Amino acid sequence: MGRRNEHTREEFRELVLQAAEQLVAAHGLTGLSTRKLATRIGYTVGSLYLIFRNLDDLIVQMNERTLDVLRERLRAAAAGQPPAAALQALARAYIAFALAETHRWLALYQHRLPDGQAVPDSFAAKVDQMFELVQQELALLGPQRPPADSALAARALWSGVHGICILGFDRKLEVVGGRSIHEVTDSLLDHYLAGFTQEIPAATPQVLHQADDP
Amino acid sequence: MGRRNEHTREEFRELVLQAAEQLVAAHGLTGLSTRKLATRIGYTVGSLYLIFRNLDDLIVQMNERTLDVLRERLRAAAAGQPPAAALQALARAYIAFALAETHRWLALYQHRLPDGQAVPDSFAAKVDQMFELVQQELALLGPQRPPADSALAARALWSGVHGICILGFDRKLEVVGGRSIHEVTDSLLDHYLAGFTQEIPAATPQVLHQADDP
DNA sequence: ACCTGAACACCGTTCAAGT
DNA sequence: ACCTGAACACCGTTCAAGT
């Protein structure tokens, strides 16, 4: 037949990614297939391979869009708040996103590229941008601290929040003995920040470092 | 043909799960299929459905075995150590397992049951047992604290370690600006435990809790 | 240049038929 | 009771052929 030039390359890409987001939102990453995608947008499977290298490439591009949305939500939640409140707002916004956009959020972590392949730089950059939002607040909490310290702390703290979400997810909000994801997150933030702000930046105490460190 | 009674049900189950573990170890969860499994053990696909409800059920049972191995490694690593060192040893053992048994460890979190289905109780129990290992050490660090506090803290801290592993994984050991997973984990443990042990258990300070809490 | 249609090599699951 | 073999309804990817 040939729907020649009915859409530009960019329009076609948009069409596909939107359809992919809808399929994932409705049925999870498992519900996504090139054939369903093609049917849904009124093309045949082959056409997808004119724009995307393969299904993995398509999913990575979809996930990058999810990261954009997530980052914007986080940015908005923290805006104009003092650092400690901003950190809690960031955590709560992250949890809210995971609960509201569950399947799209899960797709971010469920999808893994084949063994040798690394995630594209553009993807890694968007992840880094998310950590930077946290790092900014931590830097405000300890202005005299070197930026490398806040970078490390941001990584630790934010990975922690993510870990709580991922592990707490199967049991929905009930994580342990009636404690919610929010409570666990608050515990992490409270204790971590208490330790973080208490620490004397000049002489960093190494509570746990052992001599047999490799 | 009919290889009648060549294996008992239990032998057959063992055969399948071992083959599954080998396939996953070699090629990841994506490399696992009922057809490859059947070929590898010298049966036809249909026979798998006499023992396992479906592929999801098979994967869950495989993952339960992975949890058993992981828990044993953790237990051995912490044995006989004072609490703070034990916690670091637990974290390092977890990271070591993730690095050594990458695909089997990833399969633990990559696999998700269809939307309505909850993970079986036996699986959830094994996860809880892992948290208990951490909780025991935390309880020793703060003996006067109520057990519910250490349970919550164990959940927060251990989820944090897991989050660091999962998020740090794509970039292998280099997590941020040349900092290794070990450094990020130590940062989490150091700061968190500093806050945890400093806190006065009788009057728990709520640094971050806000009035607008829902 | 864009898109199709058919082919190829895979999937998970079921179930009548055989021993 | 145990196991097969074939069928069914799906997959991802490629590519000659058409417009």
Side-chain angles (χ1 to χ4, degrees):
Chain A
M1 197 218 277
R3 306 157 107 273
R4 287 166 119 284
N5 291 350
E6 211 172 284
H7 299 99
T8 64
R9 284 178 78 88
E10 191 43 54
E11 283 169 347
F12 181 81
R13 194 186 98 98
E14 187 64 28
L15 215 58
V16 173
L17 289 176
Q18 267 177 26
E21 282 159 2
Q22 285 166 20
L23 279 173
V24 169
H27 309 103
L29 202 53
T30 331
L32 183 66
S33 80
T34 54
R35 303 183 105 110
K36 281 191 213 151
L37 223 35
T39 310
R40 186 175 261 255
I41 62 169
Y43 280 80
T44 57
V45 248
S47 65
L48 294 173
Y49 292 82
L50 299 170
I51 300 293
F52 301 96
R53 206 151 37 76
N54 51 34
L55 184 58
D56 276 331
D57 178 35
L58 194 157
I59 293 172
V60 168
Q61 292 195 36
M62 179 191 70
N63 280 343
E64 287 200 34
R65 285 158 59 105
T66 306
L67 282 175
D68 285 337
V69 175
L70 173 55
R71 201 185 84 93
E72 180 46 32
R73 300 267 181 96
L74 293 175
R75 202 201 49 70
Q81 307 234 42
L87 284 168
Q88 198 192 32
L90 284 172
R92 281 187 166 10
Y94 187 80
I95 296 168
F97 186 82
L99 287 174
E101 312 286 342
T102 307
H103 282 137
R104 287 169 69 197
W105 171 73
L106 272 179
L108 242 26
Y109 306 104
Q110 212 180 334
H111 177 251
R112 320 236 25 131
L113 257 2
D115 242 8
Q117 281 176 55
V119 98
D121 287 346
S122 52
F123 187 95
K126 285 178 201 294
V127 173
D128 285 342
Q129 281 172 34
M130 223 173 59
F131 282 102
E132 270 163 33
L133 285 175
V134 181
Q135 186 182 346
Q136 278 169 29
E137 306 301 333
L138 286 174
L140 290 173
L141 274 184
Q144 74 285 43
R145 201 182 300 271
D149 271 29
S150 344
L152 187 61
R155 208 85 198 176
L157 193 56
W158 199 246
S159 297
V161 171
H162 169 71
I164 292 166
C165 280
I166 276 285
L167 288 186
F169 212 81
D170 297 313
R171 338 268 280 263
K172 296 298 152 195
L173 279 175
E174 297 307 313
V175 183
V176 54
R179 312 305 269 274
S180 71
I181 290 186
H182 286 115
E183 284 178 283
V184 184
T185 313
D186 286 345
S187 164
L188 182 72
L189 290 177
D190 281 356
H191 291 132
Y192 186 88
L193 292 181
F196 183 77
T197 51
Q198 162 202 265
E199 182 191 285
I200 302 101
T204 20
Q206 303 289 304
V207 181
L208 287 167
H209 292 176
Q210 285 172 308
D212 64 353
D213 233 16
Chain B
M1 196 216 276
R3 304 156 109 273
R4 287 165 117 287
N5 292 351
E6 210 171 284
H7 298 99
T8 65
R9 284 178 75 89
E10 191 43 54
E11 283 170 347
F12 181 81
R13 194 187 97 98
E14 187 64 29
L15 214 58
V16 174
L17 289 175
Q18 268 176 25
E21 282 159 2
Q22 285 166 20
L23 279 173
V24 168
H27 308 103
L29 202 52
T30 331
L32 182 67
S33 80
T34 55
R35 305 183 105 110
K36 281 191 214 150
L37 224 34
T39 311
R40 187 174 261 255
I41 62 170
Y43 280 79
T44 57
V45 249
S47 64
L48 294 173
Y49 292 82
L50 299 170
I51 301 293
F52 301 96
R53 205 152 36 75
N54 51 34
L55 184 57
D56 275 329
D57 178 37
L58 194 157
I59 293 172
V60 168
Q61 293 195 37
M62 178 191 71
N63 280 343
E64 287 199 34
R65 285 158 60 107
T66 306
L67 282 175
D68 286 337
V69 175
L70 174 55
R71 201 184 86 93
E72 182 46 33
R73 300 268 181 93
L74 292 175
R75 202 201 50 70
Q81 307 234 43
L87 284 169
Q88 197 191 34
L90 285 172
R92 281 189 165 9
Y94 187 80
I95 296 169
F97 186 83
L99 287 174
E101 311 286 343
T102 307
H103 282 138
R104 288 169 69 199
W105 171 73
L106 273 179
L108 241 28
Y109 305 103
Q110 213 179 334
H111 177 252
R112 320 238 23 132
L113 257 2
D115 242 8
Q117 279 176 56
V119 99
D121 288 345
S122 53
F123 187 96
K126 285 178 200 295
V127 174
D128 285 342
Q129 280 171 36
M130 223 174 59
F131 282 102
E132 269 161 33
L133 286 174
V134 179
Q135 185 181 348
Q136 278 169 29
E137 306 302 333
L138 286 174
L140 290 173
L141 274 184
Q144 74 285 43
R145 203 181 299 272
D149 271 29
S150 342
L152 187 62
R155 208 85 198 178
L157 193 55
W158 199 246
S159 298
V161 171
H162 168 70
I164 292 166
C165 279
I166 275 284
L167 288 186
F169 212 82
D170 297 312
R171 336 271 278 263
K172 296 296 155 200
L173 279 175
E174 297 306 315
V175 183
V176 53
R179 312 304 269 273
S180 71
I181 289 187
H182 286 116
E183 284 178 283
V184 184
T185 312
D186 286 347
S187 163
L188 182 72
L189 290 178
D190 281 356
H191 291 132
Y192 186 88
L193 292 181
F196 183 77
T197 50
Q198 162 203 266
E199 181 191 290
I200 302 104
T204 20
Q206 303 290 305
V207 182
L208 287 167
H209 293 176
Q210 286 172 306
D212 63 354
D213 234 14

